[in-house]
Amino acid sequence: MSPTDVQPMSEEPGTPFHELDNYLAIPRVSGLALSPDGARLVTTVATLNDKGTEYRTALWELDPAGQKHAHRITRSAKGETGAVFAADGNLYFTSARPDPESPDADPVSALWVLPSGGGEARVALSRAGGVSGLLAAKNAEVMFVTASVLAGSTDEDNDEERRKVRKDNKVAAILHSGYPVRHWDADLGPAQPRLFAVEPGAEPEPGKPGTVDAVPPVKLRNLTPEAGSALRDAETVVSPDGKTLYSSYTKPLAGADSRAVLVAIDVVTGTRRVLLDTEGMNYFPGPVSPDGRTLAVLSQRETTPQRAPVVALHLLDTSSDGGELAPLAAGWDRWPQPAVWLPDGSALLVTADEDGASPVFRIPVPGTAGTAGGDGAPVRLTADAAAYTDVAVAPDGGSAYALRSSYEFPTEVVRIDLASGEVTRLPAPAERPAYRGTLERVETTAADGTRVPGYLALPGGASAGSPAPLLLWIHGGPLGSWNAWTWRWNPWLLVARGYAVLLPDPALSTGYGQEYIQRGWGEWGNAPYLDLMALTDAVVRRADIDQTRTAAMGGSFGGYMANWVAGHTGRFKAIVTHASLWALDQFVPTTDSAHYWLKEMTAEMAAENSPHLHVEKIRTPMLVIHGDKDYRVPIGEGLRLWYELLSKSQLPVDENGETDHRFLYFPDESHWILQPQHTKVWYGVVEHFLAKNLLAKDIPVPEELGL
């Protein structure tokens, strides 16, 4: 392969990554539910519809023993999500598919049940506002749902009437009295989330004949009628006996600020008591111990412009009022996510970012049976460089199940032997997609002596005689890590075209300790930028990388950094900036969470780190990408960036209205490009822009653009 032989997407596909239609058709796995007896595993699989315009979801069952093939257990045009097993083995999920018993009713996201003994799924509960989340007690036949109600509704019937009035009169207006009013890509209000208990409904009419499979109706009891907006984005868990719900609860503060307190909701009475409420701290519930006496609690210290957040794990004694909050794994320099208790209560399984992976850890609980006086130090169970989520433990405590992904494969279901740490991939709904190339761990040392790591994805033909052009990809967050498969920023699509892709974890990345985050806090244009350049310098010194043909790309914070890079160096041939922060003085008060960002930087710090103040130095062609429905990084950032590039950069619009910059605008997309047909356009335009500026090749833009 010659240095300019980067293959366009129209070439004959050798892997799914050589053709965008094939890439988009790769099945996508998410979510995991384990039955109470440990005999059934259920996951959700999304597949592309025939038109290539949306994904349809279905529930699939896998054999925990790994002996039988995976098989599909639901099928509908609307799809199914949120699978949860009840204590009796019935499988509950949500779906907007039509109810066969009420074919004329407007479809809503209803609660469906698939009986453990077999047969077809049926609607367990349908309501005008739909159902959004499910919870089930482990040891009691008790179910709970999260569902929205209009703020002024007095009961379920009144809520349905109010919704009908808004719909019939085509009213979309929302009157706000608090903050926030938007979240990511959603307009908040007038509906607010509530927690409901699912309870037996009215008794059937006496003497009315029916079949033997007839089941009594159910109804909802509102456990949080006075919650207001406190349960928006809340995390909630249920005790094993189903008698108590533990939830984060948003507490409003002065100055349009808020923080999360921890509450307990008595299911019988509906009374709520505050368990943890500390100034400067947010609390979120983890799982409840098997005996119901101990709650895992995650705390997050609020930030200041000088101090990064700190995440810590604790145990709370819930057996009496005023229980003590005790640290677990104190001093562990990672940010744990508690997943599940072992059945004997001796330890918690958690996940945490760790040096380019997100393994499963076991944290012994001091003083419990089986810990032998252990001090609660975390023990890493999974040794591979993969990211684990949705961990569930078998009833015998000998194994766990989880979702696993890495840059070598998308999400899949695995079994983990808790004694040896051995991980086994279970028979899956689809095979792993093959890619051509290699993945390497790379690192360098920053000027301050800090190790800066990353991944490098290389095309198979890269060599000293045929060096590959390099794409620097900058992750978002910024509190995150390149450690898991991503559909939105997938390096193998560009590797299939002959590019090398560098995925660094600069300052502010998670999995490298608190100090690694702190060294970039409030100074985005300093350590994070210098780390990125240092690792790029190290990689371009390789013989198989062509240092004369490089580009930088990023989204969200990565887009911010791409903008910062553009104003501080001319080393790159092209820059792609997606959903990016441009003018921090404008961004902070207009984002959906201004109260958070005001704690990130002072006005002086924002001015020191704002890319827009360096627009006159930009001499690199930039591809700006933004969605109009992006509420986290409002469209004003993209619009201002575009105008200022054309009017103030060193590549302005000429007298004929021409420019080397480009603006890819999506009127109906948000922070992410979610619609498959738009994903295809996104990658197609990016490839066109890179080929033009790095390779001097003219690859057509997608024909759907009509250009």
Side-chain angles (χ1 to χ4, degrees):
M1 178 184 288
S2 69
T4 57
D5 278 341
V6 176
Q7 300 299 315
M9 293 185 181
S10 58
E11 292 291 319
E12 180 180 351
T15 72
F17 303 98
H18 286 75
E19 174 56 56
L20 274 173
D21 287 331
N22 292 343
Y23 169 73
L24 294 171
I26 299 173
R28 306 182 177 194
V29 174
S30 63
L32 192 64
L34 178 66
S35 63
D37 60 4
R40 302 176 65 195
L41 270 174
V42 171
T43 190
T44 302
V45 180
T47 54
L48 192 65
N49 68 2
D50 293 339
K51 294 182 179 180
T53 55
E54 63 181 359
Y55 288 96
R56 295 173 297 195
T57 55
L59 302 183
W60 284 68
E61 184 169 334
L62 293 82
D63 177 16
Q67 302 299 314
K68 302 176 183 177
H69 291 297
H71 63 279
R72 187 171 182 164
I73 57 176
T74 65
R75 187 183 301 271
S76 75
K78 294 293 185 179
E80 298 83 24
T81 58
V84 171
F85 278 102
D88 60 6
N90 288 341
L91 180 66
Y92 289 83
F93 58 89
T94 59
S95 177
R97 60 161 122 169
D99 180 2
E101 303 296 328
S102 305
D104 297 329
D106 292 335
V108 295
S109 180
L111 177 65
W112 289 70
V113 59
L114 191 60
S116 59
E120 292 190 9
R122 61 170 179 81
V123 172
L125 175 77
S126 182
R127 60 185 300 275
V131 173
S132 57
L134 311 179
L135 287 169
K138 188 174 182 63
N139 300 329
E141 294 183 17
V142 184
M143 288 287 301
F144 305 90
V145 301
T146 303
S148 66
V149 301
L150 295 177
S153 300
T154 56
D155 55 32
E156 285 288 273
D157 289 339
N158 182 245
D159 188 64
E160 183 173 0
E161 293 170 5
R162 289 171 179 265
R163 290 177 185 275
K164 186 176 186 304
V165 169
R166 283 181 64 87
K167 180 180 178 181
D168 290 348
N169 290 281
K170 299 182 178 180
V171 173
I174 303 168
L175 178 63
H176 291 283
S177 60
Y179 189 85
V181 300
R182 308 194 295 184
H183 185 62
W184 284 113
D185 59 353
D187 293 301
L188 301 182
Q192 301 171 335
R194 299 285 187 267
L195 292 168
F196 293 86
V198 181
E199 298 182 337
E203 290 293 329
E205 182 180 336
K208 186 176 182 179
T211 59
V212 295
D213 68 340
V215 293
V218 297
K219 64 179 182 180
L220 297 181
R221 178 166 59 92
N222 194 341
L223 299 174
T224 55
E226 308 301 324
S229 60
L231 290 170
R232 282 177 178 157
D233 211 29
E235 297 180 21
T236 306
V237 299
V238 58
S239 62
D241 61 9
K243 295 181 179 179
T244 309
L245 293 176
Y246 300 97
S247 182
S248 57
Y249 207 79
T250 300
K251 179 178 181 177
L253 303 173
D257 198 1
S258 64
R259 57 182 169 82
V261 302
L262 184 68
V263 302
I265 301 167
D266 185 281
V267 172
V268 174
T269 64
T271 56
R272 183 185 76 249
R273 58 191 176 99
V274 177
L275 300 179
L276 295 171
D277 180 358
T278 306
E279 184 177 354
M281 195 72 71
N282 294 279
Y283 296 104
F284 305 93
V288 186
S289 62
D291 63 6
R293 298 172 59 90
T294 307
L295 174 70
V297 176
L298 204 64
S299 69
Q300 180 174 320
R301 188 182 69 186
E302 289 194 335
T303 65
T304 70
Q306 293 76 33
R307 187 181 66 188
V310 175
V311 176
L313 185 60
H314 314 265
L315 298 179
L316 179 65
D317 181 0
T318 62
S319 59
S320 61
D321 289 337
E324 291 293 324
L325 186 67
L328 185 64
W332 189 30
D333 200 14
R334 295 295 181 266
W335 287 5
Q337 293 294 322
V340 65
W341 289 77
L342 294 187
D344 63 0
S346 64
L348 268 171
L349 300 184
V350 309
T351 60
D353 286 353
E354 169 81 358
D355 198 7
S358 188
V360 178
F361 296 85
R362 180 177 59 244
I363 304 182
V365 176
T368 59
T371 61
D375 60 359
V379 177
R380 181 169 174 168
L381 295 178
T382 57
D384 55 352
Y388 290 80
T389 64
D390 297 72
V391 182
V393 66
D396 63 5
S399 58
Y401 304 92
L403 299 182
R404 174 182 70 170
S405 77
S406 77
Y407 278 104
E408 296 184 299
F409 49 83
T411 303
E412 60 189 23
V413 182
V414 298
R415 182 178 65 248
I416 306 167
D417 185 289
L418 295 181
S420 66
E422 180 182 359
V423 180
T424 303
R425 179 175 182 260
L426 296 180
E431 294 302 317
R432 286 183 180 177
Y435 65 86
R436 292 178 182 169
T438 59
L439 185 68
E440 298 180 16
R441 193 75 169 139
V442 294
E443 62 179 67
T444 193
T445 302
D448 64 0
T450 303
R451 169 180 172 257
V452 181
Y455 285 105
L456 179 64
L458 281 165
S463 66
S466 181
L470 178 70
L471 307 178
L472 166 65
W473 282 16
I474 310 168
H475 71 63
L479 303 177
S481 170
W482 288 120
N483 61 21
W485 183 272
T486 171
W487 297 104
R488 289 182 283 116
W489 287 82
N490 194 292
W492 301 115
L493 284 167
L494 278 303
V495 170
R497 313 302 177 260
Y499 296 96
V501 179
L502 176 60
L503 305 160
D505 275 348
L508 293 174
S509 298
T510 52
Y512 305 96
Q514 190 67 30
E515 178 55 34
Y516 201 73
I517 297 169
Q518 185 63 50
R519 60 189 285 268
W521 190 256
E523 296 183 289
W524 289 2
N526 188 18
Y529 167 69
L530 296 175
D531 286 357
L532 291 167
M533 295 303 99
L535 192 56
T536 301
D537 287 340
V539 169
V540 298
R541 286 195 290 266
R542 295 169 54 122
D544 54 1
I545 298 297
D546 184 352
Q547 64 177 323
T548 68
R549 297 183 298 164
T550 60
M553 304 169 58
S556 195
F557 169 80
Y560 158 88
M561 189 55 68
N563 295 338
W564 185 264
V565 166
H568 286 78
T569 178
R571 67 183 295 171
F572 297 103
K573 297 291 187 183
I575 290 177
V576 179
T577 180
H578 170 92
S580 65
L581 291 70
W582 174 242
L584 296 188
D585 60 339
Q586 170 183 276
F587 163 77
V588 170
T590 58
T591 182
D592 60 350
S593 297
H595 58 295
Y596 175 86
W597 292 100
L598 286 169
K599 302 172 188 176
E600 181 99 3
M601 295 182 186
T602 63
E604 294 76 17
M605 294 164 71
E608 291 175 4
N609 291 274
S610 190
H612 83 287
L613 298 177
H614 306 276
V615 63
E616 291 89 352
K617 302 175 185 176
I618 294 178
R619 60 186 186 273
T620 306
M622 295 187 68
L623 170 59
V624 179
I625 308 175
H626 222 110
D628 200 273
K629 303 302 181 184
D630 187 347
Y631 298 158
R632 180 54 48 97
V633 183
I635 185 60
E637 295 298 295
L639 294 175
R640 181 170 175 179
L641 168 57
W642 180 241
Y643 174 74
E644 293 185 348
L645 284 176
L646 301 192
S647 60
K648 297 181 180 181
S649 76
Q650 295 184 28
L651 298 172
V653 171
D654 64 20
E655 62 275 11
N656 298 316
E658 299 294 329
T659 178
D660 290 329
H661 302 303
R662 295 291 184 270
F663 185 13
L664 179 58
Y665 168 69
F666 292 96
D668 58 349
E669 293 283 5
S670 60
H671 198 63
W672 312 278
I673 307 303
L674 298 178
Q675 299 176 65
Q677 69 274 23
H678 287 160
T679 299
K680 186 175 179 179
V681 168
W682 192 97
Y683 277 112
V685 171
V686 166
E687 186 201 4
H688 162 82
F689 188 74
L690 294 175
K692 176 182 178 181
N693 290 286
L694 270 68
L695 313 175
K697 296 182 68 173
D698 186 12
I699 295 175
V701 297
E703 61 180 12
E704 293 88 346
L705 289 171
L707 300 176

